Amino acid sequence: RSRGLGDVYKRQDQTGWISGYQSVLVKTENGGATWIPIQLSENWNFYGIDFINQTTGWAIAWDMEHSANIIVKTEDGGLSWNIQHSDEDCHFSALFAIHEQLIFVVGYNGIILKTDNGGADWENISPYADQTYFTSVWFMSENVGLVTGSCYDGEKYQVIVAKTVNGGKKWHERIFDGYNQINNVQFYNDSTAFFQARDDSGQDLFCMTKDTLSSWLVQSKSDSFINSFYALSEDTVYALSLIHI
């Protein structure tokens, strides 16, 4: 039976993790040359992971046993996880950990969750409505960041890019025609990023922006869906499909 791979995260010190459905979690400590499976007793589908060092990280997942969307934290490199937040209604789709105290999680129904105490408390700081579906989040600093996804205008879905310069107190959005999704945004600096997108024809795209998503260029088109990717440089990218690395 095949098992889907959901997210890949790699640190600059050769340590990385890959998470997926059915509690799949593997770790490398040598830049991907070898991968070590981590056995988890929980029945979770992981959707995203983010680590601030070799031991401390967060993940978003679907708890199949309790039918709930969860935010979980590890302090031992992924060997064990503790649930910090649970929601039966809202799907969590992406997260970004700035440091040990400050983490953002986004999801469907326009949700933008923020914690400034390491996950002990989570607050929804989003001003957006139920017809907005955020699928990616990235912060350049504690105050400057953006979230992306899609929104429904009553007739069709369009891409939304919302930016903040004050830690999420206010958001300024732009709507883009011709596309209905932007996922997995990964920045190299304050302006340059890779991301996945889907246009109105249903074509899956791999794109690059050099102006903080004010515009972008299509780098490639894919006939098979890519679950996730991690770009080490402009020339080297790790990608996950439904069953392959």
Side-chain angles (χ1 to χ4, degrees):
R1 182 172 60 176
S2 65
R3 293 187 289 183
L5 299 175
D7 194 24
V8 56
Y9 178 78
K10 185 179 182 300
R11 291 180 49 79
Q12 297 302 316
D13 55 13
Q14 302 298 304
T15 303
W17 294 260
I18 292 176
S19 65
Y21 290 179
Q22 299 175 28
S23 300
V24 169
L25 185 64
V26 295
K27 180 180 181 179
T28 180
E29 296 177 343
N30 54 17
T34 57
W35 294 88
I36 304 169
I38 297 176
Q39 301 297 325
L40 299 176
S41 59
E42 295 86 1
N43 194 12
W44 295 343
N45 287 341
F46 285 103
Y47 295 127
I49 52 175
D50 198 4
F51 279 76
I52 58 171
N53 53 43
Q54 291 186 350
T55 59
T56 304
W58 287 263
I60 50 176
W62 170 252
D63 185 340
M64 289 182 283
E65 181 179 353
H66 300 96
S67 298
N69 302 279
I70 55 175
I71 302 172
V72 296
K73 180 182 181 180
T74 180
E75 296 181 286
D76 56 13
L79 298 178
S80 62
W81 298 81
N82 295 314
I83 297 176
Q84 291 191 317
H85 184 73
S86 178
D87 190 318
E88 295 182 357
D89 299 321
C90 182
H91 170 74
F92 304 137
S93 54
L95 76 163
F96 192 92
I98 298 175
H99 54 65
E100 191 168 355
Q101 300 299 317
L102 186 58
I103 305 100
F104 291 85
V105 172
V106 299
Y108 294 0
N109 301 326
I111 196 169
I112 305 174
L113 296 181
K114 176 183 179 180
T115 179
D116 57 10
N117 57 13
D121 301 289
W122 294 85
E123 178 187 5
N124 185 12
I125 60 171
S126 177
Y128 297 100
D130 291 345
Q131 295 299 313
T132 303
Y133 305 91
F134 291 122
T135 55
S136 187
V137 53
W138 191 277
F139 271 75
M140 297 78 170
S141 67
E142 290 188 9
N143 292 316
V144 180
L146 56 81
V147 297
T148 69
S150 60
C151 59
Y152 187 67
D153 65 359
E155 296 181 358
K156 64 177 182 178
Y157 286 98
Q158 299 171 296
V159 159
I160 179 172
V161 177
K163 301 178 183 180
T164 181
V165 294
N166 55 15
K169 294 178 181 178
K170 291 185 178 181
W171 297 87
H172 304 277
E173 71 273 0
R174 291 188 63 186
I175 307 298
F176 294 87
D177 287 323
Y179 300 84
N180 54 55
Q181 287 185 31
I182 285 184
N183 305 317
N184 201 6
V185 177
Q186 296 181 22
F187 277 85
Y188 284 111
N189 52 47
D190 289 348
S191 59
T192 305
F194 283 113
F195 61 92
Q196 298 163 254
R198 180 171 293 173
D199 62 22
D200 285 344
S201 69
Q203 180 72 63
D204 290 314
L205 312 171
F206 188 71
C207 304
M208 182 180 186
T209 178
K210 293 188 176 182
D211 56 12
T212 321
L213 285 169
S214 293
S215 63
W216 53 81
L217 295 174
V218 175
Q219 302 293 297
S220 64
K221 298 182 179 181
S222 175
D223 294 328
S224 61
F225 181 74
I226 296 176
N227 287 46
S228 185
F229 73 92
Y230 191 91
L232 296 179
S233 68
E234 293 189 16
D235 301 317
T236 304
V237 177
Y238 288 99
L240 304 179
S241 69
L242 289 175
I243 57 173
H244 298 293
I245 304 176

